[in-house]
Amino acid sequence: MRVIARLDVKGDSLIKGVRFEGLRRLGNPAEVARRYASFVDELFFVDTVASLYGRPQVAELLESVASEIFVPLTVGGGITTILEAERMFKLGADKVAINTAGFGAPELFHEIAKNFGLQSVVGSIQANKTESGWECLTEQGRERTHVSVNDRVRELLEIGIGEIIVTSVDRDGTRNGFDLELLEQVLQFSNVPVVIGGGCGSLEHLETLRPYETLSGVALASSLHYELIDQDQIRRWRNCEDRRL
Amino acid sequence: MRKVSIVDYGIGNIRSVLNAYSYLGYNVSLLDKPAEIRHAEYLVLPGVGNFGAVVERLQRKEFFDPIASYVSDSKPFLGICVGMQVLFEDSSESPGVSGFGFFKGSLSHFLELSPRTISPSIGNFDLNWSADTGQTLERAYFVHNYFVSDYSDSELLATYEWNGFSVPAAFRLGGVVGVQFHPEKSGTQGLHFLDSLAKR
C-alpha cells in the first residue's frame, strides 16, 4: 500500500487544520517535503487558497522541490483549466487532483487525460458525513454540492480517471481514526485505485486499514506533521502490508 | 561522463527525467530535432499515456525512423514506461499500431489477466532481477494499465509481483534497456539505477 504525505499549503507555509478549518502554520513546505520524501511513496500538495483566489500558489513550491525530490508529486487545489494543469506538469507534477473544477466539467478530466495520460488524473472527493450518507463538498470543504459520494464515484469512473482520493472532511485533523464505512462504500464501487485520508492519528489507526486488500493508498497529514507516527513505524507497516500481497 | 539526450516529442511529462539526470551531474539536454538522434551518446525515451498516441506522435514529429535505426544498432538507449512499451511489436491498447518491434512481444491490459482487477497498478514494488544483472535497485515506482504479456525470456531482466502475478519490469538487448517502472520517481535508489545504466 502506498503511503502518501499530504501537505496543505497556504502561501509559503505548510498548514494543517481540523475539519479543513482553524488552520495552523507548521513551517516551510519545501523542507518538510524533502524530509518526508525519504520514507513515503508519494507527496500530495494541496493549495488551500487557490480555488478561492483562482491562482495556484503552489507553483513555486513545486518547481523548487521537483529538481531535488524524486518521488511522484500530485498537486491539487485550484486547478480549473487544462492550461493550469499543463503548467503544473511542466513544473514537475506527475498528477493533478481535481475536485471543485471537475463538477459539471468532465471535459477538464478528458483533456488532461488526453494530453498527459489517464494516470495523471486524480479525482478528489471531499466527503462530509450527514444523516443520510456522505455528501461531496467543494472549495476545500467550504461549499456543499448535495451530490452523494456514491454518485460522484460512479460519475468519476464514467468520466475516466486514474485514481480516486477520498478525504473525510469531518474526520480531517481530528485524530479520531479513518471513516471506514466511507472507505468501504468507495471501494465497493471503484475499479480504479482508491486512496483514503482524514482522521489518522496513530499507528493503530493505520492498522485498521489492513483488512482492505484492494485499498491502494493512505494519505497522512497530521500524523506526520505532529509526529504521531514516526518514519520507522511507517516503513515497517508498509513492508508488512507489501509482503501480505 | 556520457552526454544524455532526452527525446522531446511533446508528450507527457519529461521534466522529472531531465531533473534526475541534472541532479546526478550529467550533461543532459532535450533533443527535439530528429536529425540529432544518430549523434546521441545516450538516448532516453520517456513516455506516458497511450501506446498508439506515442507512436503516432513520434511518427508525426519524424522521430520514429531515426530512433528505429538508433536502437537497431544497439546503441545506448533507455525507454521508460510507455517509452519501453513502444519498443515492443504491439499493444492491445492500440490494435493495428506497430511499435518499434525491437523487443519481441506485445502488451495486454491487466483486465485481460483477471477481470476483477483494480487497474492501473500504482506504487512502489520490489523487483526480482535475473541472476546475472548485478542490479541493486530493490524497489521501484510503477504506474501502468498495460503490461508486457508476451516476450522473449532472453530479453527479460526483471519482474515484480502484482496481485499474485509476475509482471515484467525490465528488458535488455545489447545497449538497449527498457523499464516499465519510473526510476526518476523511485527515490535515491532510482537515481543510482539511472546513473549505473548511463555509466556503463
Side-chain angles (χ1 to χ4, degrees), chain A residues 3-18:
Chain A
V3 175
I4 298 162
R6 175 187 166 129
L7 283 80
D8 290 354
V9 174
K10 183 179 183 183
D12 54 7
S13 297
L14 171 69
I15 56 157
K16 185 69 195 114
V18 176

Side-chain angles (χ1 to χ4, degrees), chain A residues 82-127:
Chain A
I82 174 75
L83 281 175
E84 279 165 2
E86 203 172 337
R87 182 162 166 244
M88 294 302 156
F89 291 121
K90 284 205 167 124
L91 291 171
D94 299 286
K95 311 182 227 185
V96 293
I98 293 179
N99 177 28
T100 305
F103 273 87
E107 63 280 3
L108 180 59
F109 294 100
H110 294 153
E111 281 294 302
I112 298 171
K114 201 176 81 193
N115 288 284
F116 298 94
L118 200 58
Q119 85 296 330
S120 70
V121 190
V122 182
S124 170
I125 294 177
Q126 292 163 3

